[in-house]
């Protein structure tokens, strides 16, 4: 069987949304937000919304994105044709274009227009997970687009043009590198197989006006956001991008407006610590005590209001499994962890951090025979070739029912051997005894099952 036949029919996911993490500011240009913010809340900081258009190859980490202001939306037809002509990784037009029901309702003519050039449009079922996962992954990755060369391009049009160039450069770089950053040899092989396909050049068609109608569905992600908190602008000295961070800037970090662009490097350790503490099995007071600091010191550090002295910070980072990545120039959740699902945004942020933006197949494990734990449900965060972590979720809790939505690429329920299930339950119980036991017990767990997850995608049996 030849390569093209193995990957036929070709399928693309097409999605459109108000950008969740990117906005425009008349002075700072394109701004990323550390935590999602409602559109009305963003406007109070002088931020205006952008529309994200994205196409993902179904089942593969190959993506192309572009952006516009909300006041100047582009026709779906024009965006698609541009992508299929200029995005090398998409390999031209697909056989199937999958969209959600909102896009279908907003653009009734899309099915007809695509059929004219031989593309079948399919509307995803409301329960389908892969298309929403493609959108969530695009939203998350968009905030990391490097904008160092943005320079003085602060006007809206020039800033968006610079952002679109960054997105195109990012796509081309990943294609050239064959997406070697993925942590699965199987996925990497499938990427190379896809990129070996011939390009299906789209037929040139006449373009007209706007072929869709914007609506509230563009910002549906707003509905689950909590009340807004204080925020402040911060320049990331590592890549030159500007962030709107949650919290209040510590007094020693406050600078005059004229010095804004000379701000120090952005330190994300406090944000990671905040989310980890919110997901830790033990109360924050116990975490602080184990790290040798007071609860007040922990709260001030995780809120970004104050720093810790050198030894206290090292102790907290060691306790929470936080490590600095020299290559990426920022702190990461190294783990491995036993986490408890308490707060939706916290568990979502920690999951996306340890999974590299959703590069995992989290699944709930249940015993193949016998009864499951009556109090807790156990989710295995199955990262590709990296140490997995475990999430405990209380049965009957509202957040537990939301886990398929919060954990990107959720893979459902997987029956496992009773012996393995019991080992997971007992590991979690030991990890919950004290803050310092968490990472230690999980490392022991990983050693017992190392052959199942190293350099592969673990399929627990």
């Amino acid at each position: 069987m030849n390569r093209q036949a193995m990957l036929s029919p070709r399928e693309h996911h097409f999605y459109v949304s108000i950008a969740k993490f990117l906005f425009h500011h008349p002075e700072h240009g394109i701004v990323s937000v550390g935590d999602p913010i409602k559109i009305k809340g963003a406007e109070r900081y002088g931020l205006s919304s952008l529309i994200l258009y994205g196409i993902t190859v179904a089942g593969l980490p190959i993506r192309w994105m572009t952006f516009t202001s909300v006041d100047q939306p582009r026709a779906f037809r024009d965006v698609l044709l541009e992508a299929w002509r200029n995005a090398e990784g998409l390999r031209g037009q697909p056989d199937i274009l999958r969209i959600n029901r909102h896009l279908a309702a907003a653009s009734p003519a899309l099915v007809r227009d695509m059929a004219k050039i031989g593309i079948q449009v399919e509307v995803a079922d409301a329960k389908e997970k892969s298309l929403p996962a493609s959108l969530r992954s695009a939203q998350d990755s968009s905030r990391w687009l490097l904008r160092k060369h943005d320079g003085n391009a602060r006007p809206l049009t020039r800033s968006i043009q610079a952002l679109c160039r960054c997105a195109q450069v990012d796509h081309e770089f990943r294609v050239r590198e064959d997406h070697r950053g993925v942590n699965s040899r199987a996925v990497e092989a499938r990427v190379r197989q896809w990129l070996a396909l011939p390009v299906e050049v789209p037929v040139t068609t006449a373009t007209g006006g706007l072929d869709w109608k914007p609506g509230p569905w563009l910002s549906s992600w707003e509905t689950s956001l909590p009340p807004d908190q204080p925020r402040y602008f911060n320049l990331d000295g590592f890549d030159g991008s500007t962030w709107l961070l949650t919290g209040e800037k510590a007094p020693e970090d406050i600078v005059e407006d004229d010095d804004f662009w000379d701000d120090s490097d952005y330190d994300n350790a406090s944000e990671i610590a905040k989310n980890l503490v919110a997901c830790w099995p033990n109360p924050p007071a116990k975490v602080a005590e184990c790290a040798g600091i007071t609860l007040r010191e922990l709260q001030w550090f995780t809120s970004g209001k104050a720093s810790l002295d050198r030894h206290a910070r090292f102790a907290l980072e060691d306790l929470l499994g936080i490590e600095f990545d020299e290559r990426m120039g920022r702190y990461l959740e190294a783990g491995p962890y036993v986490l408890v699902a308490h707060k939706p945004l916290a568990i979502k942020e920690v999951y996306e951090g340890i999974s590299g933006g959703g590069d995992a197949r989290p699944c709930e494990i249940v015993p193949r025979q016998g009864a499951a734990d009556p109090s807790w449900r156990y989710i295995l965060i199955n990262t590709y070739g990296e140490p997995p972590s475990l999430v405990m979720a209380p049965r009957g809790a509202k957040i537990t029912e939301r886990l398929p939505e919060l954990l990107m690429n959720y893979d459902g329920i997987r029956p496992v051997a009773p012996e393995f299930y019991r080992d997971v339950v007992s590991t979690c119980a030991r990890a919950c005894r004290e803050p310092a036991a968490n990472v230690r017990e999980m490392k022991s767990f990983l050693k017992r099952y190392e052959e199942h997850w190293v350099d592969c995608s673990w399929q627990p049996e």
Side-chain angles (χ1 to χ4, degrees):
M1 184 179 294
N2 63 41
R3 291 178 174 178
Q4 187 169 1
M6 292 174 67
L7 291 169
S8 183
R10 305 186 189 195
E11 181 178 328
H12 287 171
H13 292 166
F14 178 48
Y15 39 86
V16 181
S17 173
I18 297 292
K20 189 175 181 179
F21 296 101
L22 290 179
F23 295 84
H24 177 265
H25 189 276
E27 179 184 354
H28 307 319
I30 300 299
V31 172
S32 299
V33 296
D35 298 307
I37 183 173
K38 292 185 177 181
I39 293 173
K40 289 294 184 184
E43 290 173 353
R44 291 198 293 270
Y45 293 92
L47 299 174
S48 56
S49 298
L50 307 175
I51 299 178
L52 179 156
Y53 309 77
I55 301 176
T56 295
V57 176
L60 293 177
I62 299 177
R63 178 197 307 116
W64 178 89
M65 294 181 287
T66 193
F67 303 84
T68 68
S69 68
V70 292
D71 297 329
Q72 295 182 314
R74 293 184 61 188
F76 287 169
R77 175 186 55 253
D78 295 344
V79 171
L80 290 167
L81 290 176
E82 177 191 345
W84 293 331
R85 289 173 185 146
N86 300 330
E88 182 182 351
L90 299 181
R91 314 311 290 160
Q93 69 181 48
D95 301 307
I96 297 172
L97 184 68
R98 190 169 296 276
I99 62 175
N100 64 30
R101 64 186 187 280
H102 300 299
L103 264 69
S107 181
L110 186 62
V111 173
R112 182 194 64 219
D113 291 345
M114 292 296 102
K116 289 179 180 178
I117 57 174
I119 298 174
Q120 178 182 344
V121 176
E122 294 187 356
V123 181
D125 183 88
K127 296 182 179 179
E128 184 174 322
K129 303 299 182 183
S130 60
L131 180 59
S134 293
L135 171 57
R136 286 195 299 271
S137 180
Q139 290 275 28
D140 183 76
S141 66
S142 68
R143 58 177 158 177
W144 304 112
L145 288 174
L146 297 181
R147 297 179 297 283
K148 193 169 185 179
H149 62 274
D150 188 28
N152 295 318
R154 306 281 150 66
L156 178 60
T157 301
R158 292 174 61 191
S159 290
I160 293 178
Q161 288 174 346
L163 176 62
C164 292
R165 286 196 299 270
C166 283
Q168 180 70 28
V169 169
D170 181 73
H171 173 82
E172 292 171 353
F173 172 78
R174 293 176 185 277
V175 170
R176 287 197 304 270
E177 293 296 310
D178 287 340
H179 286 72
R180 291 175 192 147
V182 298
N183 295 319
S184 167
R185 290 178 181 174
V187 174
E188 186 175 333
R190 287 168 55 208
V191 167
R192 290 179 177 174
Q193 189 180 55
W194 172 271
L195 294 177
L197 293 175
V199 175
E200 296 289 340
V201 181
V203 177
T204 301
T205 60
T207 59
L210 192 66
D211 58 357
W212 63 286
K213 184 178 180 180
W217 54 272
L218 281 170
S219 56
S220 59
W221 49 263
E222 277 191 307
T223 57
S224 61
L225 298 185
D228 199 20
Q229 307 173 58
R231 299 175 188 251
Y232 64 95
F233 289 104
N234 190 83
L235 175 69
D236 187 336
F238 174 68
D239 65 11
S241 59
T242 305
W243 288 75
L244 183 71
L245 302 180
T246 304
E248 297 179 357
K249 182 168 283 192
E252 61 269 26
D253 294 331
I254 297 177
V255 294
E256 298 298 326
D257 289 343
D258 290 343
D259 297 328
F260 178 84
W261 298 101
D262 295 321
D263 198 5
S264 58
D265 289 357
Y266 164 54
D267 183 349
N268 65 324
S270 63
E271 291 183 54
I272 291 178
K274 175 186 70 174
N275 290 320
L276 283 172
V277 170
C279 299
W280 215 253
N282 314 99
K286 289 291 185 182
V287 174
E289 180 183 358
C290 191
I293 57 178
T294 66
L295 176 59
R296 183 178 178 83
E297 287 176 320
L298 176 64
Q299 292 171 334
W300 278 61
F301 175 70
T302 55
S303 66
K305 294 180 179 179
S307 58
L308 294 172
D309 69 58
R310 187 167 178 266
H311 296 292
R313 172 153 172 168
F314 286 166
L316 183 64
E317 290 173 359
D318 183 61
L319 174 67
L320 299 178
I322 300 174
E323 296 180 359
F324 186 77
D325 188 301
E326 295 285 352
R327 181 178 61 86
M328 300 184 68
R330 61 188 177 94
Y331 287 89
L332 301 173
E333 304 89 336
Y337 304 109
V338 170
L339 305 169
V340 176
H342 291 307
K343 298 181 179 180
L345 283 178
I347 195 68
K348 179 177 182 293
E349 291 293 328
V350 172
Y351 164 72
E352 293 184 1
I354 63 180
S355 66
D359 187 17
R361 297 185 67 183
C363 60
E364 179 184 353
I365 58 171
V366 297
R368 192 175 294 115
Q369 295 95 28
D373 187 321
S375 301
W376 297 93
R377 294 165 67 175
Y378 299 87
I379 289 83
L380 176 70
I381 299 180
N382 187 11
T383 48
Y384 294 111
E386 296 291 332
S389 291
L390 296 167
V391 176
M392 300 172 60
R395 291 190 181 276
K398 191 173 182 179
I399 188 174
T400 303
E401 303 307 315
R402 291 187 60 195
L403 288 179
E405 162 199 341
L406 297 171
L407 305 182
M408 189 184 304
N409 296 322
Y410 185 76
D411 201 31
I413 297 175
R414 183 181 294 276
V416 297
E419 298 79 11
F420 175 69
Y421 182 82
R422 288 194 294 270
D423 195 4
V424 168
V425 173
S426 60
T427 296
C428 289
R430 291 193 298 271
C432 293
R433 288 175 183 171
E434 59 171 343
N438 194 318
V439 174
R440 182 181 68 237
E441 290 297 334
M442 273 305 295
K443 286 183 176 179
S444 296
F445 175 83
L446 296 181
K447 288 181 180 178
R448 294 196 292 276
Y449 299 96
E450 187 172 16
E451 63 183 281
H452 297 286
W453 59 266
V454 171
D455 294 328
C456 68
S457 174
W458 190 12
Q459 301 295 328
E461 298 294 340

